Amino acid sequence: DAKHLVPNKMRDFFCTINLDQEEVFRTQVVEKSLSPYFGEEFYFEIPRTFQWLSFYIYDKSVLQKDLRIGKVSIKKEDLCNYTGKENWFMLQPVDSNSEVQGKVHLELKLNELITDNGSVCQQLVVHIKECHGLPLINGQNCDPYATVSLVGPSRNDQKKTKVKKKTSNPQFNETFYFEVTRSSSYTKKSQFQVEEEDIEKLEVRVDLWNNGNLVQDIFLGEIKVPVKVLRNDSFQAWYLLQPRENGNKSSKTDDLGSLRLNICYTEDCVLPSEYYTSLRNLLLKSSDVQPISASAAYILSEVCRDKYDAVLPLVRLLLHHQKLVPFVAAVAELDLKDTQEANTIFRGNSLATRCVDEMMKIVGKHYLKVTLKPVIDEICESPKPCEIDPIKLKEGDNVEINMENLRYYVDKVFREIVRSSISCPTLMCDVFYSLRHLAAKRFPNDPHVQYSAVSSFVFLRFFAVAVVSPHTFHLRPHHPDAQTSRTLTLISKAIQTLGSWGSLTKTKLSSFKETFMCEFFKTFQEETFTESVKKFLDDVSSTESKEPSGVSEPVHLKEGEMYKRAQGRTRIGKKNFKKRWFCLTSREFTYHKQQDKEPIFTIPIKNILAVEKLDESSFNKKNMFQILHGEKPLYIQANNCVEASEWIEALCRVTRCNQKRLSFYHPSAFLNGNWLCCKATAESTEGCARCTADVPADTQIEIDGDRETERIYSLFTINRSKLQKLEEACGSIAVYQGPRKEPDDYSNFTIEDSVATFHTLQQIIDIVEKLNESHEKYQKKRSSSAKYGSE
């Protein structure tokens, strides 16, 4: 959220998230506010290098261009200082001199020349090779040029490259020569003197500009290199463009308002797979360790201050290697040992419950979309008044009508859920099956506990949470408005209650905190609701095959607006690209002239042969990818790098089982009678580059096992002191065999078998030390090969 924004009157505000100058996400517009609350979460993988993560506050305008009020920009290197906690940031003014991105490739050399009279002078050679990642200007590639200057206390020699048209990655390949020192016999023909010691004060400055033609040129960034670092050596390196020194400096920074952010940023340095073999094997055999509290996976959760830090990479790794179900069963059994009453089963935030929660988020993503998205869309896009709290009713509201509306929505959501068992992923069913039987074994005299064990997850922690926060589960693009949020909250409460086995009894109704909810639920006193829940829970906790009896409905995976290149047209230029609405389901990929219109073009998923990135050089456009499907390739431009990456990933995932997938493709387009990449003249020529995913694999979830193992190694490294304390605790228990002393540093650890736990800890510490050595060697190698100014 933001507060005290200017101008000091009620306006409509929205916020954008930018990687350097590229917008990747945008919040909804908050109308008529000086302190807008956005309340939106965005999670994304960063598909390219970047310098700044920026947040811009805009004043929405209907007739004119949206006005940028201010920004918060955080350097990539500083993100770790803010991660995992809320911070208020003062908005800074938006200054064109500070809006930079990209890098420039230079070769610098200092030569000694012998003049005709035999004296020696020095010459600076600046070879500007290319730039990469320059920003878009008004949504289009820029027309960049560079100025190269030799600057000192009493001189400023400047030279200029040619302008490169419509590209963010210009290839300049131009060389400039500057005289640094002159011989003593040199006659003064200029207005300044250069002496030998002046070399200490000289610097090379390269400025990048966008050629504005009839308007003012736009500054794109600069770099400065002191000449003294060259001496008799030559440097060839990439330099990140920097803002001007006077950029982003204003005396009015306190007047723009402030923005509150909660940023979580992680960066992984992933080594080759063989380095992680020992740690990976130790983690994967966790479910076989007796007791489970002595396993590496369980110890990870014990030493991490926030269990969630451990759960996310652990669940993904176990999922990737099909080891999650036995591990969840083992930790759930340990959880049940401490559960004394059946009605509190799986209600806490233990390792078991968090693992199941994370598993449902990952595996159940498509299940939620096919089950809830249509009804959630209806509620959000055509909302009916549903407030039934007498205190919150507005003047003119009819509580009976509102109750009917709420009942209609609750019935519809409930009906969709209890009919959805056929779509429940097999992995979720396997986990629910294990939990159900463990609960029945723990409380053999309670006939209902086997159902409440499952309903506590699937209703309370899955469907009810998705209903109240549809944007978090990608069911809606933005956080709902206040009225819709209230409606969703009431529906979520109702679903939790209906899904709780045995909750529709009079004793339960009397325990409602809100009287109005008690009155509302009196209309649900029907045996059919209880029976529907029971049948649904039986279905989703069964290990039987769930093959649908008829043709299943396609699963909606992704949709959005992008640009596509006209197919088979002879027109050239900008008009060759059209804005279209794209939709991906588990059955087909389509594009439409507008949202909710009939598709103009359809590609069955089974016909897609490859999905790959397209070189920017093909059409001088960024963020392009291609879909190969038997006919001419379909070329598409996404709005930003994150969106392009997400579309490619979604399309690859849904097509990876296609048996006719290609092994090779052309990374560039076929234009003017040849492939731009390999210069082959036949359009039917086999691709010249290997596809990034050419092996069919029956998988729904893309997980990098090495990356998850690297994250777990990082967690062990950060919590090394706790590993040692746990090791000391095990040693004390094993030696003294006496009763536990007063509460100490070890009292929060679960140690069932001190010898087994100690043995696992020694293995973990040994593996972590070896990985530390490997990382240190990599860092030394990287730093020794780096040059001044290089990334």
Side-chain angles (χ1 to χ4, degrees):
D1 59 350
K3 62 182 180 182
H4 309 318
L5 299 181
V6 294
N8 293 315
K9 56 182 178 179
M10 308 295 271
R11 303 300 292 263
D12 301 339
F13 294 106
F14 65 91
C15 180
T16 66
I17 303 175
N18 294 53
L19 290 175
D20 297 322
Q21 297 306 298
E22 184 178 19
E23 180 184 322
V24 293
F25 287 109
R26 177 179 293 208
T27 69
Q28 64 181 350
V29 177
V30 178
E31 298 179 348
K32 295 181 173 56
S33 175
L34 279 177
S35 299
Y37 177 76
F38 301 108
E40 300 199 36
E41 296 180 7
F42 300 96
Y43 171 82
F44 58 100
E45 298 283 336
I46 299 175
R48 63 169 177 82
T49 57
F50 71 102
Q51 291 177 255
W52 299 85
L53 178 66
S54 301
F55 303 83
Y56 291 82
I57 295 289
Y58 283 82
D59 179 1
K60 179 71 175 175
S61 177
V62 178
L63 300 177
Q64 299 176 347
K65 186 177 179 181
D66 297 331
L67 176 65
R68 288 194 288 190
I69 299 296
K71 70 174 182 178
V72 172
S73 290
I74 305 172
K75 262 191 173 182
K76 177 184 175 182
E77 295 79 13
D78 297 333
L79 283 171
C80 58
N81 299 328
Y82 304 105
T83 188
K85 52 190 176 184
E86 288 187 357
N87 293 278
W88 280 101
F89 296 88
M90 299 301 297
L91 290 178
Q92 303 297 320
V94 180
D95 176 5
S96 61
N97 287 334
S98 67
E99 303 290 290
V100 303
Q101 74 172 59
K103 55 188 179 180
V104 59
H105 192 190
L106 294 181
E107 183 177 8
L108 305 171
K109 191 173 184 180
L110 206 56
N111 292 333
E112 286 191 348
L113 299 180
I114 300 176
T115 61
D116 294 338
N117 60 11
S119 60
V120 177
C121 69
Q122 287 187 305
Q123 181 188 59
L124 174 68
V125 182
V126 180
H127 181 192
I128 178 167
K129 295 188 173 185
E130 59 181 318
C131 290
H132 183 78
L134 299 181
L136 301 177
I137 304 296
N138 298 323
Q140 300 296 322
N141 283 328
C142 54
D143 296 335
Y145 69 90
T147 59
V148 182
S149 308
L150 181 62
V151 182
S154 57
R155 67 185 292 182
N156 187 353
D157 297 349
Q158 185 179 94
K159 300 181 181 182
K160 177 182 172 183
T161 69
K162 295 177 182 177
V163 176
K164 300 296 179 179
K165 293 291 185 179
K166 301 299 178 191
T167 178
S168 295
N169 302 316
Q171 303 284 327
F172 293 113
N173 202 27
E174 295 189 41
T175 303
F176 301 98
Y177 300 91
F178 298 91
E179 195 173 73
V180 176
T181 61
R182 299 183 177 89
S183 61
S184 56
S185 61
Y186 187 84
T187 56
K188 295 182 181 180
K189 294 182 180 179
S190 60
Q191 299 176 354
F192 52 83
Q193 272 187 317
V194 178
E195 298 177 0
E196 184 67 32
E197 60 269 16
D198 281 339
I199 196 171
E200 298 290 328
K201 301 175 183 179
L202 292 177
E203 64 180 11
V204 179
R205 192 180 76 204
V206 179
D207 296 80
L208 269 294
W209 298 85
N210 176 61
N211 184 37
N213 292 324
L214 300 178
V215 296
Q216 186 177 2
D217 292 354
I218 298 174
F219 175 75
L220 299 179
E222 69 176 11
I223 63 107
K224 295 178 180 179
V225 183
V227 174
K228 64 182 180 182
V229 304
L230 301 178
R231 291 304 181 186
N232 296 321
D233 197 5
S234 65
F235 281 91
Q236 183 177 172
W238 284 97
Y239 296 80
L240 293 172
L241 291 172
Q242 303 295 326
R244 278 182 174 164
E245 288 185 354
N246 63 344
N248 209 14
K249 289 185 179 179
S250 172
S251 59
K252 298 183 179 180
T253 55
D254 295 335
D255 303 330
L256 298 176
S258 53
L259 182 66
R260 182 166 61 166
L261 302 170
N262 190 337
I263 301 169
C264 293
Y265 174 75
T266 57
E267 183 175 326
D268 304 310
C269 173
V270 184
L271 300 173
S273 186
E274 58 268 19
Y275 286 85
Y276 300 107
T277 303
S278 298
L279 181 57
R280 182 170 55 242
N281 291 341
L282 186 63
L283 291 162
L284 293 179
K285 70 177 185 181
S286 291
S287 57
D288 300 324
V289 175
Q290 294 292 334
I292 189 65
S293 60
S295 68
Y298 195 91
I299 290 172
L300 175 68
S301 71
E302 287 281 270
V303 298
C304 288
R305 188 177 69 174
D306 186 349
K307 275 188 170 58
Y308 182 77
D309 291 340
V311 165
L312 182 57
L314 183 60
V315 167
R316 292 175 68 86
L317 180 68
L318 295 174
L319 265 177
H320 185 61
H321 293 279
Q322 294 84 46
K323 294 286 187 179
L324 183 64
V325 177
F327 178 74
V328 168
V331 292
E333 189 170 13
L334 179 62
D335 206 12
L336 286 170
K337 285 182 181 179
D338 297 327
T339 306
Q340 303 302 320
E341 297 181 15
N343 61 356
T344 61
I345 193 168
F346 298 133
R347 291 299 173 92
N349 282 322
S350 64
L351 177 60
T353 57
R354 291 196 174 206
C355 282
V356 177
D357 285 351
E358 198 57 44
M359 178 274 297
M360 291 191 298
K361 286 180 184 177
I362 298 170
V363 178
K365 194 181 296 182
H366 296 162
Y367 177 34
L368 276 178
K369 282 188 175 180
V370 73
T371 304
L372 290 183
K373 193 175 190 315
V375 64
I376 295 294
D377 285 344
E378 178 187 341
I379 295 168
C380 293
E381 293 169 8
S382 305
K384 298 178 181 179
C386 295
E387 185 56 72
I388 59 174
D389 184 352
I391 299 174
K392 296 184 178 181
L393 286 173
K394 297 177 182 177
E395 187 177 350
D397 283 354
N398 187 313
V399 70
E400 285 80 14
I401 292 176
N402 289 5
M403 193 173 288
E404 288 179 10
N405 293 339
L406 182 60
R407 175 63 191 261
Y408 166 77
Y409 283 146
V410 170
D411 280 343
K412 193 159 189 177
V413 172
F414 179 79
R415 189 166 58 248
E416 293 298 329
I417 291 173
V418 295
R419 289 179 178 177
S420 70
S421 59
I422 196 96
S423 304
C424 186
T426 304
L427 187 68
M428 286 176 64
C429 296
D430 291 343
V431 170
F432 295 152
Y433 176 82
S434 296
L435 298 177
R436 176 177 179 171
H437 284 270
L438 287 169
K441 181 181 175 182
R442 175 68 179 85
F443 298 101
N445 298 323
D446 190 330
H448 300 317
V449 72
Q450 60 177 318
Y451 295 107
S452 58
V454 179
S455 67
S456 63
F457 286 106
V458 73
F459 277 101
L460 272 66
R461 294 172 176 264
F462 187 58
F463 284 120
V465 178
V467 168
V468 80
S469 302
H471 58 291
T472 305
F473 291 83
H474 306 290
L475 300 176
R476 294 291 299 171
H478 296 294
H479 190 284
D481 59 51
Q483 182 180 331
T484 307
S485 291
R486 174 62 178 165
T487 298
L488 293 172
T489 300
L490 292 171
I491 295 170
S492 179
K493 285 184 177 183
I495 293 303
Q496 289 181 53
T497 306
L498 290 172
S500 298
W501 173 254
S503 64
L504 293 177
T505 62
K506 292 182 179 178
T507 55
K508 287 283 182 180
L509 284 174
S510 63
S511 66
F512 270 109
K513 292 180 180 178
E514 303 101 335
T515 308
F516 62 89
M517 290 301 290
C518 183
E519 292 298 319
F520 177 64
F521 272 101
K522 286 180 180 178
T523 64
F524 287 84
Q525 295 302 297
E526 303 172 18
E527 187 68 24
T528 52
F529 283 94
T530 306
E531 289 301 315
S532 295
V533 171
K534 181 176 180 296
K535 183 180 184 305
F536 171 73
L537 295 175
D538 280 332
D539 289 342
V540 297
S541 58
S542 167
T543 57
E544 295 177 6
S545 176
K546 292 180 171 53
E547 291 298 326
S549 54
V551 179
S552 60
E553 288 294 316
V555 179
H556 181 279
L557 302 178
K558 190 170 177 60
E559 63 181 354
E561 201 170 59
M562 295 186 289
Y563 296 83
K564 67 114 193 141
R565 184 174 186 266
Q567 295 177 292
R569 309 281 176 83
T570 57
R571 293 179 304 180
I572 60 173
K574 183 179 177 182
K575 291 183 180 179
N576 225 13
F577 282 81
K578 297 284 188 182
K579 185 185 289 187
R580 294 288 182 258
W581 185 266
F582 291 81
C583 183
L584 174 64
T585 71
S586 56
R587 191 177 295 167
E588 60 191 17
F589 179 70
T590 59
Y591 63 77
H592 316 242
K593 196 165 187 178
Q594 293 176 341
Q595 188 178 4
D596 300 326
K597 297 290 185 183
E598 289 298 313
I600 300 173
F601 189 75
T602 300
I603 306 175
I605 293 300
K606 63 181 181 181
N607 291 355
I608 295 179
L609 305 177
V611 182
E612 299 289 345
K613 290 181 179 179
L614 186 71
D615 284 352
E616 180 186 329
S617 58
S618 298
F619 302 105
N620 279 331
K621 291 183 180 292
K622 284 185 160 187
N623 307 316
M624 289 203 66
F625 62 95
Q626 55 182 318
I627 299 176
L628 309 179
H629 58 102
E631 302 175 23
K632 289 188 176 182
L634 177 61
Y635 298 128
I636 300 172
Q637 183 187 25
N639 294 297
N640 57 64
C641 62
V642 173
E643 186 179 84
S645 178
E646 288 177 348
W647 272 105
I648 294 170
E649 181 185 354
L651 283 160
C652 285
R653 184 170 60 240
V654 78
T655 60
R656 293 197 61 176
C657 295
N658 291 356
Q659 296 302 313
K660 295 183 179 179
R661 282 186 64 89
L662 298 176
S663 296
F664 293 88
Y665 78 106
H666 290 283
S668 291
F670 185 82
L671 294 174
N672 303 322
N674 66 74
W675 290 101
L676 299 181
C677 43
C678 59
K679 307 305 179 187
T681 55
E683 196 168 359
S684 58
T685 303
E686 186 182 13
C688 56
R690 179 170 287 279
C691 289
T692 54
D694 60 344
V695 180
D698 186 12
T699 180
Q700 288 186 325
I701 308 161
E702 291 293 314
I703 294 174
D704 185 339
D706 293 337
R707 184 176 182 182
E708 305 306 333
T709 313
E710 167 64 27
R711 287 180 177 175
I712 291 171
Y713 150 75
S714 300
L715 291 171
F716 278 134
T717 303
I718 293 167
N719 295 283
R720 176 67 186 271
S721 61
K722 287 189 177 180
L723 286 173
Q724 291 172 336
K725 285 182 180 180
L726 186 54
E727 192 178 29
E728 291 171 8
C730 291
S732 299
I733 294 169
V735 171
Y736 295 109
Q737 295 293 323
R740 187 71 66 91
K741 297 180 181 179
E742 292 297 318
D744 51 25
D745 291 342
Y746 321 134
S747 57
N748 294 325
F749 294 137
T750 301
I751 305 175
E752 294 179 289
D753 185 328
S754 59
V755 175
T757 305
F758 186 83
H759 178 65
T760 305
L761 282 165
Q762 286 186 316
Q763 289 179 286
I764 293 171
I765 292 171
D766 182 55
I767 290 170
V768 168
E769 286 177 352
K770 289 179 180 177
L771 277 170
N772 281 341
E773 292 175 5
S774 299
H775 274 281
E776 287 173 7
K777 286 179 181 177
Y778 169 78
Q779 292 297 342
K780 285 180 180 177
K781 182 180 177 182
R782 185 181 182 189
S783 60
S784 63
S785 62
K787 296 182 179 180
Y788 178 86
S790 66
E791 295 178 275

